[in-house]
Amino acid sequence: MRIGFLGGLSGRVSDLGIGSRNGAQLAIEDLNAAGGLAGRPLELVIRDDEQSPDLARQRLDELCDLDVAFIVGPITSTAAVALLPTINQRRVPVISPLAGANDLSGQDDAFFRVVSDTASSARQQAAALLARGLRRIVTVGDAKNAIFSRNWIDSASKHFTAGGGVVVQALSFEGAPGLRFVELAQQIAASGADCAVIAANAADSAVLVQQVRRLQEGLFVALSAWAGTEVFPTLGGPALDGVMVTQFFDRFNATPRWLDFVARYGQRFGESPGYPAMNGYDAVQMGAAAVRATGRDGLLQALRQIRELEGLQRTLRFDEFGDCIVPTYLTIVEGGRYVAVPA
Amino acid sequence: MTKRVWSLGVRLRGQFLLLGVVPVLVLFATAWVLLVPVLTDQAEARNRELALAVRDQVQLQLLLRQRAAGIVADGLRDNPPRAGELQRSLQALLQRDPFLQAAYVTGADGRVADAALAPTTGRFAEDVVGLDLSTQAHVVQARQEQSPVWSDTFLSTLTGEVTAALAVPAGDRTVVVELSLTALSKSVVDLAQSGLSQVVVVDRDGHVIAHPDARRALQQENLSALPFVREALAGTARSARTNGDSEEQLAHALPVPPIGWAVVVSQPVSAVMLPLQQLGGAVLAVLVGSVLLAVAVGWRMAHRTGTEVAQLADWAQRTAGDGGNPPDLSFSTSEFNAVWTRLRDLFQQLLARNRELQQFVMVASHDLQEPLRKIEVFGDRLRGDLDGRLSEPERDRLDRVLGAAARMRALVNDLLEYSALTSDTVAQESVQLTAVVDGVLDDLEPGIAEAQAEFLVAALPTIRGDPQQLRQMFQNLLGNSLKYRAAERRLRVVIESEVVRASARVSTLCHRIRVRDNGIGFDRAYREKIFVPFQRLHARQDYPGTGIGLAIVHKIVQRHGGSIQADGIVGEGAEFVIDLPLAGGAGPDGSGADRL
């Protein structure tokens, strides 16, 4: 039985795709070690969309033509929104590990995900900022992943202002080529905000934070979960200390199941797993649960009927549209690593 | 329990299959056993050679960048540049090397003080200035050890490509360059283009960082789960069989010191064993051909044999009745057993009829003698009683009656003699033919003297046979020569012998005895008829006799396993050529072998 994987495996933000692919691969190997699904071994068919919506549609068609049972992917919200019409047309179940855009919520479609929508995570971050006494924020979003960035910024801004805060300026950038981080940092510093909320990838966030803090050393910075990769704390040295990063998973989880996964993942891929790997693994397990319930026929209905699924770290809960409801976690960078923010 | 009987056709097809298929299979199995280790060794040697070449290439690529960065670091340490000079120096470094994406120089605090970025990054150098590299592991190590250090590979924030950074200390400052590993992939592609091998380079964690398909390097596939790759990353070269790219591979992993990467070379087992697969294809074709040929030939031979044996049976049946010529046979059958049973029955019938016929001849001949004797006795008495009272015509008629009776007695005697040859078994004694001929010549002495004939007898062989019959044979042959001599010249008879091949188609040897005379000869048209009983070529008045003599010779030769042929020219003479088996191999002088 073929299982598809579709995601950006090359390019600047390919760390999300590669982590998700590795997690999905490990899940497939675990399932095969347990005898496969419906008595058949599983094969993960991998396609790189190179973070291009047009290419993603083409790759989705390829996977459908290969008669995959379901597809794990896509990785970014922008790709997911672009693919949604094709997904519903082909009626192939698609389970995204990471696409949390609000635009994808509440729809009776063939799209499922094992990540909460962006709004709930952004609300949690805004509440934490308010709790720290921060009242003036400047927002910065990466227009290359506009849907996620806009969702995050809008939700955070809405909740922040509802809590008595003010959005002093909303900025966005297009990324390379042409982006001048120094100029963007100058705009942030000049905004008069006491906090910058940035929705960008880890690498761009690291550069931007460093440049901002060269100009305004004490500025508090809060990053979206997009930047919360394993390497982010190492990309900027002491300049990144004190940066708040939202996490889609509990980095400090010590349950036996998670620790076993961390050990096996490290042995298999030579590194520690992050949330992309965890969600890639859980996405495959969600599809597998549906296949176990009904076989390949009626898979969409079986996926919609899933209300709870034991994930690697916690119980995933789903609404009637297949949207996932899981908590997010707040961390602070200190000395080149993440530390937990007390609830 | 009934024993299963296979038809001749099945047996023939089976034998042809065995002869055609088994040797091919044995040869193929032998070739397989011998070739597999050879092909495997050759493939592993190719893998090792290619891995060494790629390792050298990787080390060269790294060394080139290390030297380039080292020159900048040396200049920085020895001659502190004036304002702007360092920036130009870094830009020149990137211009010379298209695979260098970025070059930085940090200050003593580890922050980037000067930077140059390749235009392909789409980024600006001022965005990099001020970034803190002081906690980057390779920078820390280079500053501590005061020697160049390569970083772990990472996805470049500038280009999104797999990259390795080199930190070269320059006093309290550090030169850092970022190298796109696409250059390695290109080198690997160039080296691997010549063969079927796939070459990849993995980093310290087992991620693929150089691959003929550059996209796979970007996707950072991880090979550290493969034990032989892990061993290479730990510093030990290893060969192994592994499953990759959906088929089994012969692979070799070689460490790349000092950076800690590994080169992995692999080639599909199917490609390695291609010569065997091609051989297998040829063997399969030969096998299919052999099977088809065996079935076709087996069927054809069985069909032909069946037809011919059936013809033989028909001929035997006719022969048992009124005679006929045997068919030409080359042998084979489909229902051989049934036809053979039929043949056996027919021959038994034939033997029974022969016995009845011999008995009839014996009885008839014996019974005919008594009335003949009475005709002769009472004919003689009648001629005596009527002596002087018969007219000339009456005497002539009586003489004719008595003459006819005498010829009939001769015929009956000859018939009995001929019949005795058929019924009696042939004795197997050692017979010296020279002595036999001498005895015959003694018997014929009066006639020889009368004719003043000359008999020249060469050394004749000793053979195994019936002395009486052989004597009869020569008696008849030499008597014939004496009887059919030419009146106008002295009779000359030559008897000689030689050992020859029985026929051009076989290697069996025989004694060839020639009896040649210069008598009246005969027309060659009668060469066969001359051996038929009671056949005469001349008027009885001219040459007395019953015409049984040569028929008896023919029968004796046949019963001794030989053959006889006659040849003659009217008015010039006749020759009889008798071939008799060597029967023990004794030649005229008692030596010789029975095969050439």
Side-chain angles (χ1 to χ4, degrees):
Chain A
M1 187 183 299
R2 290 181 174 138
I3 311 296
F5 178 89
L6 176 64
L9 297 173
S10 51
R12 285 190 173 85
V13 293
S14 60
D15 51 345
L16 299 180
I18 289 169
S20 297
R21 178 204 61 192
N22 291 349
Q25 184 69 55
L26 197 55
I28 294 290
E29 289 170 8
D30 285 354
L31 289 168
N32 279 336
L37 279 179
R40 297 162 63 189
L42 305 179
E43 177 193 0
L44 188 66
V45 184
I46 299 169
R47 291 291 182 271
D48 179 10
D49 64 20
E50 301 175 27
Q51 301 173 46
S52 155
D54 290 338
L55 199 55
R57 274 189 286 271
Q58 188 180 324
R59 298 286 186 250
L60 180 73
D61 282 335
E62 287 176 16
L63 290 172
C64 291
D65 292 343
L66 288 170
D67 193 30
V68 295
F70 60 89
I71 295 171
V72 174
I75 300 303
T76 64
S77 292
T78 300
V81 171
L83 284 177
L84 198 56
T86 310
I87 291 170
N88 288 329
Q89 181 193 349
R90 302 295 298 246
R91 304 300 294 168
V92 57
V94 172
I95 307 169
S96 174
L98 301 174
N102 302 336
D103 306 37
L104 299 166
S105 301
Q107 298 188 39
D108 184 15
D109 51 24
F111 179 82
F112 304 85
R113 56 187 171 187
V114 292
V115 62
S116 286
D117 65 23
T118 311
S120 59
S121 303
R123 275 199 304 272
Q124 190 178 352
Q125 186 182 64
L129 296 178
L130 287 169
R132 284 176 176 263
L134 300 167
R135 290 296 179 270
R136 295 167 61 82
I137 63 171
V138 56
T139 61
V140 184
D142 182 348
K144 282 241 171 169
N145 189 10
I147 293 176
F148 173 84
S149 301
R150 180 168 43 81
N151 280 180
W152 187 277
I153 299 294
D154 287 353
S155 297
S157 299
K158 183 179 174 184
H159 194 77
F160 191 76
T161 53
V166 178
V167 179
V168 297
Q169 193 169 5
L171 302 171
S172 68
F173 64 93
E174 277 284 344
L179 169 65
R180 289 183 179 273
F181 282 103
V182 172
E183 292 178 1
L184 192 58
Q186 288 168 346
Q187 288 180 280
I188 294 169
S191 67
D194 51 15
C195 172
V197 175
I198 301 173
N201 68 57
D204 289 346
S205 296
V207 174
L208 187 56
V209 169
Q210 288 185 80
Q211 295 298 356
V212 166
R213 284 193 161 173
R214 288 182 70 197
L215 301 172
Q216 190 178 348
E217 191 172 347
L219 183 68
F220 192 85
V221 177
L223 303 181
S224 72
W226 186 8
T229 65
E230 310 310 297
V231 297
F232 173 75
T234 68
L235 292 177
L240 300 186
D241 283 353
V243 172
M244 175 184 284
V245 184
T246 302
Q247 304 286 344
F248 280 135
F249 76 131
D250 179 8
R251 290 187 168 277
F252 313 102
N253 189 290
T255 59
R257 188 177 187 201
W258 174 250
L259 294 179
D260 174 66
F261 176 74
V262 171
R264 289 190 299 112
Y265 188 93
Q267 190 175 15
R268 176 71 174 80
F269 300 107
E271 60 194 17
S272 297
Y275 72 90
M278 180 185 77
N279 286 13
Y281 189 96
D282 285 346
V284 171
Q285 294 295 355
M286 183 182 183
V291 173
R292 281 195 204 95
T294 64
R296 281 200 57 175
D297 297 331
L299 207 54
L300 281 175
Q301 191 60 32
L303 282 165
R304 288 192 190 106
Q305 288 175 349
I306 293 176
R307 289 290 176 268
E308 283 190 359
L309 181 76
E310 278 307 312
L312 281 169
Q313 284 197 345
R314 71 287 201 222
T315 302
L316 309 176
R317 293 188 170 79
F318 300 89
D319 62 18
E320 67 271 30
F321 302 110
D323 294 322
C324 187
I325 307 157
V326 288
T328 49
Y329 306 87
L330 294 175
T331 59
I332 294 285
V333 176
E334 278 187 16
R337 59 191 181 89
Y338 295 110
V339 297
V341 173
Chain B
M1 186 172 164
T2 306
K3 185 180 177 183
R4 184 163 188 177
V5 179
W6 300 96
S7 73
L8 182 62
V10 172
R11 289 183 191 178
L12 285 172
R13 285 191 284 271
Q15 287 170 0
F16 280 124
L17 280 174
L18 280 175
L19 288 173
V21 172
V22 172
V24 174
L25 288 177
V26 169
L27 278 175
F28 180 66
T30 306
W32 185 279
V33 169
L34 294 177
L35 282 178
V36 165
V38 173
L39 292 173
T40 303
D41 289 347
Q42 288 177 345
E44 288 179 348
R46 283 197 301 273
N47 281 350
R48 283 193 295 272
E49 289 171 8
L50 188 53
L52 283 169
V54 172
R55 185 199 64 182
D56 292 346
Q57 183 64 29
V58 170
Q59 289 176 328
L60 178 64
Q61 295 272 350
L62 298 177
L63 188 61
L64 286 174
R65 276 71 191 201
Q66 200 166 311
R67 284 190 178 169
I71 292 171
V72 174
D74 290 344
L76 198 60
R77 192 165 35 228
D78 300 337
N79 302 299
R82 287 188 291 250
E85 276 187 2
L86 182 57
Q87 179 73 19
R88 285 193 293 276
S89 175
L90 294 177
Q91 284 173 345
L93 185 63
L94 299 188
Q95 285 169 357
R96 283 196 298 271
D97 188 340
F99 293 107
L100 284 181
Q101 301 169 334
Y104 322 117
V105 173
T106 70
D109 60 355
R111 291 179 181 271
V112 175
D114 293 278
L117 301 180
T120 51
T121 64
R123 296 289 176 93
F124 300 95
E126 57 265 36
D127 287 341
V128 179
V129 172
L131 296 186
D132 189 348
L133 304 185
S134 63
T135 58
Q136 301 283 322
H138 57 293
V139 175
V140 172
Q141 188 180 351
R143 294 172 74 164
Q144 285 175 347
E145 298 176 0
Q146 285 298 299
S147 62
V149 174
W150 284 94
S151 73
D152 287 340
T153 60
F154 57 93
L155 278 175
S156 169
T157 58
L158 300 175
T159 63
E161 293 182 359
V162 182
T163 305
L166 170 68
V168 181
D172 59 352
R173 308 171 77 178
T174 308
V175 177
V176 178
V177 293
E178 291 188 6
L179 170 66
S180 167
L181 298 184
T182 305
L184 285 183
S185 288
K186 186 174 181 308
S187 302
V188 166
V189 168
D190 291 343
L191 283 170
Q193 266 178 347
S194 56
L196 297 167
S197 299
Q198 174 179 278
V199 183
V200 300
V201 180
V202 298
D203 68 10
R204 297 164 189 165
D205 295 325
H207 293 114
V208 174
I209 56 173
H211 192 287
D213 178 358
R215 283 189 311 167
R216 292 184 65 171
L218 291 176
Q219 294 171 8
Q220 295 192 72
E221 187 180 349
N222 194 291
L223 302 184
S224 63
L226 301 171
F228 74 102
V229 174
R230 280 205 301 272
E231 289 198 50
L233 291 173
T236 306
R238 279 283 181 271
S239 292
R241 280 189 178 233
T242 181
N243 287 317
D245 286 346
S246 305
E247 62 176 321
E248 191 177 22
Q249 308 266 338
L250 273 177
H252 182 74
L254 181 70
V256 183
I259 197 166
W261 299 346
V263 175
V264 182
V265 179
S266 61
Q267 49 187 319
V269 172
S270 60
V272 173
M273 299 300 166
L274 189 60
L276 271 181
Q277 290 176 356
Q278 291 170 337
L279 179 63
V283 166
L284 184 62
V286 170
L287 281 178
V288 170
S290 296
V291 169
L292 292 177
L293 189 65
V295 170
V297 171
W299 179 85
R300 173 72 178 156
M301 291 188 68
H303 178 72
R304 181 188 291 179
T305 303
T307 304
E308 292 178 344
V309 171
Q311 288 173 351
L312 181 63
D314 289 343
W315 167 79
Q317 192 167 25
R318 286 198 308 275
T319 302
D322 56 1
N325 294 321
D328 291 331
L329 300 177
S330 59
F331 263 89
S332 39
T333 181
S334 61
E335 297 298 340
F336 187 82
N337 294 328
V339 174
W340 176 246
T341 302
R342 186 178 162 203
L343 267 180
R344 191 177 52 196
D345 293 345
L346 287 171
F347 276 114
Q348 284 174 348
Q349 290 176 26
L350 195 60
L351 286 173
R353 289 192 185 188
N354 267 344
R355 280 195 296 272
E356 289 171 5
L357 189 59
Q358 286 164 17
Q359 286 172 356
F360 167 75
V361 170
M362 294 285 287
V363 170
S365 303
H366 185 268
D367 289 351
L368 280 174
Q369 291 206 48
E370 180 56 25
L372 271 177
R373 193 180 63 78
K374 285 184 176 174
I375 290 171
E376 288 177 316
V377 169
F378 289 106
D380 269 344
R381 285 184 185 174
L382 189 60
R383 187 164 53 186
D385 293 344
L386 298 177
D387 188 28
R389 283 182 289 170
L390 293 174
S391 64
E392 194 58 30
E394 289 169 341
R395 180 181 295 277
D396 180 60
R397 290 187 195 109
L398 185 56
D399 287 343
R400 289 191 183 204
V401 169
L402 291 174
R407 284 199 304 280
M408 191 167 179
R409 171 180 290 282
L411 282 171
V412 169
N413 285 337
D414 288 346
L415 195 57
L416 277 170
E417 190 176 350
Y418 186 81
S419 176
L421 284 175
T422 303
S423 57
D424 293 344
T425 55
V426 178
Q428 289 295 321
E429 299 174 19
S430 180
V431 181
Q432 288 185 326
L433 294 184
T434 303
V436 169
V437 171
D438 287 346
V440 170
L441 291 177
D442 284 345
D443 290 348
L444 296 176
E445 178 56 31
I448 292 171
E450 179 191 344
Q452 296 183 325
E454 179 185 15
F455 281 78
L456 302 175
V457 183
L460 297 178
T462 297
I463 67 168
R464 294 194 69 77
D466 187 321
Q468 298 303 322
Q469 291 186 5
L470 291 171
R471 183 184 180 94
Q472 180 73 54
M473 179 184 79
F474 281 110
Q475 181 88 31
N476 291 6
L477 284 172
L478 301 182
N480 253 26
S481 294
L482 204 57
K483 182 195 292 184
Y484 297 105
R485 66 182 182 273
E488 65 274 14
R489 58 180 174 266
R490 182 184 179 193
L491 175 63
R492 190 169 188 269
V493 181
V494 177
I495 306 160
E496 57 190 4
S497 169
E498 60 182 329
V499 175
V500 298
R501 196 195 301 268
S503 77
R505 294 171 60 185
V506 297
S507 59
T508 307
L509 300 180
C510 67
H511 294 297
R512 174 159 292 172
I513 299 162
R514 298 175 187 275
V515 177
R516 187 169 61 250
D517 65 39
N518 61 349
I520 63 172
F522 63 89
D523 190 331
R524 303 182 77 178
Y526 300 111
R527 282 185 303 175
E528 303 291 337
K529 189 180 177 184
I530 201 170
F531 295 113
V532 176
F534 307 119
Q535 290 291 328
R536 297 175 57 86
L537 302 183
H538 307 281
R540 191 183 305 119
Q541 297 86 331
D542 299 333
Y543 296 96
T546 61
I548 195 77
L550 289 179
I552 289 174
V553 169
H554 186 257
K555 179 66 74 177
I556 290 171
V557 170
Q558 271 190 333
R559 290 175 66 76
H560 280 77
S563 64
I564 182 169
Q565 288 182 325
D567 198 5
I569 300 173
V570 176
E572 294 189 10
E575 181 182 42
F576 293 88
V577 179
I578 301 162
D579 286 344
L580 291 171
L582 252 58
D589 55 357
S591 64
D594 62 351
R595 291 196 178 265
L596 289 175

